[in-house]
Short mmCIF file of all heavy atoms in Angstrom, two decimals:
data_model
loop_
_atom_site.label_atom_id
_atom_site.label_comp_id
_atom_site.label_asym_id
_atom_site.label_seq_id
_atom_site.Cartn_x
_atom_site.Cartn_y
_atom_site.Cartn_z
N GLY A 13 22.04 -42.68 83.28
CA GLY A 13 22.32 -41.77 84.37
C GLY A 13 22.58 -40.36 83.93
O GLY A 13 22.93 -39.53 84.75
N GLU A 14 22.47 -40.07 82.71
CA GLU A 14 22.67 -38.69 82.26
C GLU A 14 21.32 -38.00 82.22
O GLU A 14 20.38 -38.49 81.60
CB GLU A 14 23.29 -38.66 80.87
CG GLU A 14 24.69 -39.19 80.83
CD GLU A 14 25.27 -39.07 79.43
OE1 GLU A 14 24.78 -38.27 78.62
OE2 GLU A 14 26.20 -39.80 79.14
N PRO A 15 21.24 -36.88 82.77
CA PRO A 15 19.96 -36.17 82.75
C PRO A 15 19.84 -35.27 81.52
O PRO A 15 19.56 -34.09 81.62
CB PRO A 15 19.99 -35.36 84.02
CG PRO A 15 21.42 -35.10 84.30
CD PRO A 15 22.17 -36.21 83.71
N ASN A 16 20.15 -35.76 80.35
CA ASN A 16 20.11 -34.97 79.10
C ASN A 16 18.70 -34.89 78.55
O ASN A 16 17.92 -35.84 78.65
CB ASN A 16 20.98 -35.62 78.02
CG ASN A 16 22.46 -35.38 78.29
OD1 ASN A 16 22.81 -34.50 79.04
ND2 ASN A 16 23.29 -36.17 77.65
N ASN A 17 18.50 -33.77 77.98
CA ASN A 17 17.23 -33.55 77.30
C ASN A 17 17.37 -34.14 75.91
O ASN A 17 18.34 -33.89 75.20
CB ASN A 17 16.96 -32.04 77.23
CG ASN A 17 15.58 -31.72 76.71
OD1 ASN A 17 14.86 -32.60 76.28
ND2 ASN A 17 15.24 -30.46 76.77
N PRO A 18 16.38 -34.93 75.44
CA PRO A 18 16.51 -35.55 74.13
C PRO A 18 16.41 -34.54 72.99
O PRO A 18 16.80 -34.82 71.86
CB PRO A 18 15.36 -36.53 74.07
CG PRO A 18 14.41 -36.14 75.11
CD PRO A 18 15.15 -35.36 76.13
N LEU A 19 15.96 -33.34 73.27
CA LEU A 19 15.85 -32.33 72.23
C LEU A 19 17.15 -31.55 72.03
O LEU A 19 17.35 -30.92 71.01
CB LEU A 19 14.71 -31.36 72.55
CG LEU A 19 13.32 -32.01 72.62
CD1 LEU A 19 12.29 -30.96 73.01
CD2 LEU A 19 12.94 -32.64 71.31
N ILE A 20 18.05 -31.58 72.96
CA ILE A 20 19.34 -30.87 72.87
C ILE A 20 20.40 -31.91 72.54
O ILE A 20 20.58 -32.87 73.26
CB ILE A 20 19.67 -30.15 74.16
CG1 ILE A 20 18.61 -29.11 74.46
CG2 ILE A 20 21.05 -29.51 74.07
CD1 ILE A 20 18.81 -28.37 75.75
N PRO A 21 21.15 -31.67 71.38
CA PRO A 21 22.16 -32.64 71.00
C PRO A 21 23.40 -32.56 71.92
O PRO A 21 23.59 -31.59 72.64
CB PRO A 21 22.50 -32.24 69.58
CG PRO A 21 22.00 -30.88 69.37
CD PRO A 21 20.98 -30.62 70.41
N ALA A 22 24.24 -33.51 71.78
CA ALA A 22 25.47 -33.57 72.57
C ALA A 22 26.45 -32.54 72.06
O ALA A 22 26.36 -32.08 70.93
CB ALA A 22 26.09 -34.96 72.47
N TRP A 23 27.44 -32.14 72.91
CA TRP A 23 28.37 -31.05 72.58
C TRP A 23 29.22 -31.38 71.38
O TRP A 23 29.54 -30.52 70.57
CB TRP A 23 29.24 -30.69 73.80
CG TRP A 23 30.12 -31.83 74.25
CD1 TRP A 23 29.81 -32.78 75.14
CD2 TRP A 23 31.41 -32.07 73.78
NE1 TRP A 23 30.80 -33.66 75.29
CE2 TRP A 23 31.85 -33.23 74.44
CE3 TRP A 23 32.29 -31.50 72.87
CZ2 TRP A 23 33.09 -33.80 74.23
CZ3 TRP A 23 33.52 -32.07 72.70
CH2 TRP A 23 33.90 -33.21 73.36
N TYR A 24 29.64 -32.63 71.15
CA TYR A 24 30.43 -32.99 69.98
C TYR A 24 29.63 -32.89 68.69
O TYR A 24 30.16 -32.57 67.65
CB TYR A 24 31.06 -34.39 70.16
CG TYR A 24 30.06 -35.50 70.39
CD1 TYR A 24 29.45 -36.14 69.30
CD2 TYR A 24 29.72 -35.93 71.68
CE1 TYR A 24 28.54 -37.14 69.53
CE2 TYR A 24 28.81 -36.93 71.89
CZ TYR A 24 28.22 -37.53 70.80
OH TYR A 24 27.31 -38.52 71.00
N ASP A 25 28.30 -33.18 68.78
CA ASP A 25 27.45 -33.02 67.59
C ASP A 25 27.34 -31.54 67.20
O ASP A 25 27.33 -31.18 66.02
CB ASP A 25 26.05 -33.57 67.86
CG ASP A 25 26.00 -35.10 67.80
OD1 ASP A 25 26.90 -35.67 67.15
OD2 ASP A 25 25.06 -35.67 68.35
N ILE A 26 27.28 -30.70 68.21
CA ILE A 26 27.18 -29.26 67.94
C ILE A 26 28.46 -28.76 67.29
O ILE A 26 28.43 -27.98 66.33
CB ILE A 26 26.87 -28.49 69.24
CG1 ILE A 26 25.48 -28.86 69.72
CG2 ILE A 26 26.99 -26.99 69.03
CD1 ILE A 26 25.12 -28.26 71.06
N ILE A 27 29.61 -29.23 67.73
CA ILE A 27 30.89 -28.79 67.18
C ILE A 27 31.04 -29.26 65.74
O ILE A 27 31.40 -28.48 64.85
CB ILE A 27 32.07 -29.28 68.07
CG1 ILE A 27 32.02 -28.57 69.41
CG2 ILE A 27 33.41 -29.07 67.38
CD1 ILE A 27 33.02 -29.05 70.40
N TRP A 28 30.79 -30.54 65.51
CA TRP A 28 30.91 -31.06 64.14
C TRP A 28 29.87 -30.41 63.20
O TRP A 28 30.19 -30.07 62.06
CB TRP A 28 30.74 -32.58 64.11
CG TRP A 28 32.00 -33.30 64.52
CD1 TRP A 28 32.22 -33.98 65.66
CD2 TRP A 28 33.18 -33.36 63.75
NE1 TRP A 28 33.46 -34.46 65.72
CE2 TRP A 28 34.10 -34.10 64.52
CE3 TRP A 28 33.63 -32.88 62.53
CZ2 TRP A 28 35.39 -34.37 64.10
CZ3 TRP A 28 34.90 -33.17 62.13
CH2 TRP A 28 35.76 -33.88 62.88
N SER A 29 28.70 -30.20 63.68
CA SER A 29 27.68 -29.56 62.87
C SER A 29 28.07 -28.12 62.57
O SER A 29 27.90 -27.61 61.43
CB SER A 29 26.32 -29.56 63.56
OG SER A 29 25.87 -30.88 63.74
N GLY A 30 28.60 -27.42 63.53
CA GLY A 30 29.05 -26.04 63.34
C GLY A 30 30.20 -25.98 62.36
O GLY A 30 30.27 -25.06 61.51
N LEU A 31 31.15 -26.94 62.47
CA LEU A 31 32.28 -26.97 61.55
C LEU A 31 31.82 -27.20 60.12
O LEU A 31 32.24 -26.47 59.20
CB LEU A 31 33.25 -28.09 61.98
CG LEU A 31 34.50 -28.23 61.11
CD1 LEU A 31 35.39 -27.01 61.28
CD2 LEU A 31 35.24 -29.49 61.46
N TRP A 32 30.92 -28.14 59.91
CA TRP A 32 30.41 -28.40 58.55
C TRP A 32 29.55 -27.22 58.04
O TRP A 32 29.57 -26.89 56.86
CB TRP A 32 29.60 -29.69 58.49
CG TRP A 32 30.49 -30.90 58.46
CD1 TRP A 32 30.66 -31.81 59.42
CD2 TRP A 32 31.35 -31.25 57.39
NE1 TRP A 32 31.59 -32.76 59.06
CE2 TRP A 32 32.03 -32.42 57.77
CE3 TRP A 32 31.65 -30.72 56.15
CZ2 TRP A 32 32.97 -33.05 56.98
CZ3 TRP A 32 32.57 -31.38 55.37
CH2 TRP A 32 33.22 -32.52 55.78
N PHE A 33 28.85 -26.58 58.96
CA PHE A 33 28.08 -25.40 58.57
C PHE A 33 29.01 -24.30 58.07
O PHE A 33 28.73 -23.64 57.05
CB PHE A 33 27.23 -24.91 59.76
CG PHE A 33 26.44 -23.68 59.45
CD1 PHE A 33 25.31 -23.74 58.65
CD2 PHE A 33 26.84 -22.44 59.96
CE1 PHE A 33 24.60 -22.60 58.37
CE2 PHE A 33 26.12 -21.30 59.66
CZ PHE A 33 24.99 -21.37 58.87
N ILE A 34 30.13 -24.09 58.75
CA ILE A 34 31.10 -23.07 58.33
C ILE A 34 31.71 -23.45 56.99
O ILE A 34 31.88 -22.58 56.11
CB ILE A 34 32.17 -22.87 59.42
CG1 ILE A 34 31.54 -22.23 60.64
CG2 ILE A 34 33.33 -22.03 58.90
CD1 ILE A 34 32.45 -22.13 61.84
N VAL A 35 32.04 -24.71 56.77
CA VAL A 35 32.61 -25.16 55.49
C VAL A 35 31.59 -24.94 54.36
O VAL A 35 31.92 -24.40 53.29
CB VAL A 35 33.04 -26.64 55.58
CG1 VAL A 35 33.38 -27.21 54.20
CG2 VAL A 35 34.21 -26.81 56.52
N ILE A 36 30.36 -25.34 54.60
CA ILE A 36 29.32 -25.18 53.58
C ILE A 36 29.07 -23.70 53.33
O ILE A 36 28.93 -23.26 52.18
CB ILE A 36 28.04 -25.92 53.98
CG1 ILE A 36 28.28 -27.44 53.94
CG2 ILE A 36 26.87 -25.55 53.08
CD1 ILE A 36 27.14 -28.27 54.48
N LEU A 37 29.07 -22.90 54.42
CA LEU A 37 28.86 -21.46 54.27
C LEU A 37 30.00 -20.84 53.46
O LEU A 37 29.77 -19.99 52.59
CB LEU A 37 28.75 -20.80 55.65
CG LEU A 37 28.44 -19.31 55.65
CD1 LEU A 37 27.06 -19.06 55.06
CD2 LEU A 37 28.51 -18.75 57.05
N PHE A 38 31.23 -21.29 53.73
CA PHE A 38 32.39 -20.78 52.98
C PHE A 38 32.28 -21.15 51.49
O PHE A 38 32.51 -20.33 50.61
CB PHE A 38 33.68 -21.36 53.58
CG PHE A 38 34.90 -20.95 52.84
CD1 PHE A 38 35.40 -19.66 52.93
CD2 PHE A 38 35.56 -21.85 52.01
CE1 PHE A 38 36.53 -19.29 52.24
CE2 PHE A 38 36.68 -21.48 51.30
CZ PHE A 38 37.18 -20.20 51.43
N VAL A 39 31.92 -22.40 51.18
CA VAL A 39 31.79 -22.85 49.79
C VAL A 39 30.68 -22.07 49.10
O VAL A 39 30.84 -21.61 47.95
CB VAL A 39 31.52 -24.38 49.74
CG1 VAL A 39 31.12 -24.82 48.34
CG2 VAL A 39 32.75 -25.15 50.20
N VAL A 40 29.56 -21.88 49.77
CA VAL A 40 28.45 -21.12 49.18
C VAL A 40 28.89 -19.68 48.97
O VAL A 40 28.64 -19.08 47.93
CB VAL A 40 27.20 -21.21 50.07
CG1 VAL A 40 26.15 -20.17 49.67
CG2 VAL A 40 26.60 -22.60 50.02
N TRP A 41 29.57 -19.09 49.97
CA TRP A 41 30.01 -17.70 49.90
C TRP A 41 31.02 -17.49 48.79
O TRP A 41 30.97 -16.49 48.07
CB TRP A 41 30.60 -17.29 51.25
CG TRP A 41 30.91 -15.83 51.35
CD1 TRP A 41 32.08 -15.23 51.07
CD2 TRP A 41 30.03 -14.80 51.73
NE1 TRP A 41 32.00 -13.89 51.26
CE2 TRP A 41 30.71 -13.59 51.67
CE3 TRP A 41 28.69 -14.77 52.14
CZ2 TRP A 41 30.15 -12.38 52.01
CZ3 TRP A 41 28.15 -13.57 52.48
CH2 TRP A 41 28.87 -12.38 52.39
N LYS A 42 31.97 -18.42 48.61
CA LYS A 42 33.05 -18.27 47.64
C LYS A 42 32.64 -18.67 46.23
O LYS A 42 33.10 -18.06 45.26
CB LYS A 42 34.25 -19.12 48.04
CG LYS A 42 35.29 -18.46 48.87
CD LYS A 42 35.73 -17.19 48.25
CE LYS A 42 37.15 -16.90 48.62
NZ LYS A 42 37.55 -15.59 48.23
N PHE A 43 31.83 -19.69 46.07
CA PHE A 43 31.57 -20.23 44.73
C PHE A 43 30.11 -20.04 44.27
O PHE A 43 29.87 -19.57 43.17
CB PHE A 43 31.93 -21.73 44.69
CG PHE A 43 33.37 -21.98 44.99
CD1 PHE A 43 33.78 -22.56 46.19
CD2 PHE A 43 34.35 -21.63 44.07
CE1 PHE A 43 35.09 -22.77 46.46
CE2 PHE A 43 35.68 -21.85 44.35
CZ PHE A 43 36.06 -22.42 45.55
N ALA A 44 29.17 -20.42 45.05
CA ALA A 44 27.77 -20.40 44.61
C ALA A 44 27.21 -18.98 44.57
O ALA A 44 26.50 -18.61 43.62
CB ALA A 44 26.92 -21.28 45.53
#
Side-chain angles (χ1 to χ4, degrees):
E14 293 182 21
N16 285 342
N17 188 353
L19 298 177
I20 299 178
W23 63 271
Y24 59 85
D25 283 337
I26 293 175
I27 292 175
W28 280 108
S29 296
L31 181 67
W32 282 111
F33 178 74
I34 292 173
V35 169
I36 291 173
L37 184 65
F38 177 74
V39 169
V40 166
W41 188 268
K42 268 308 209 189
F43 300 108

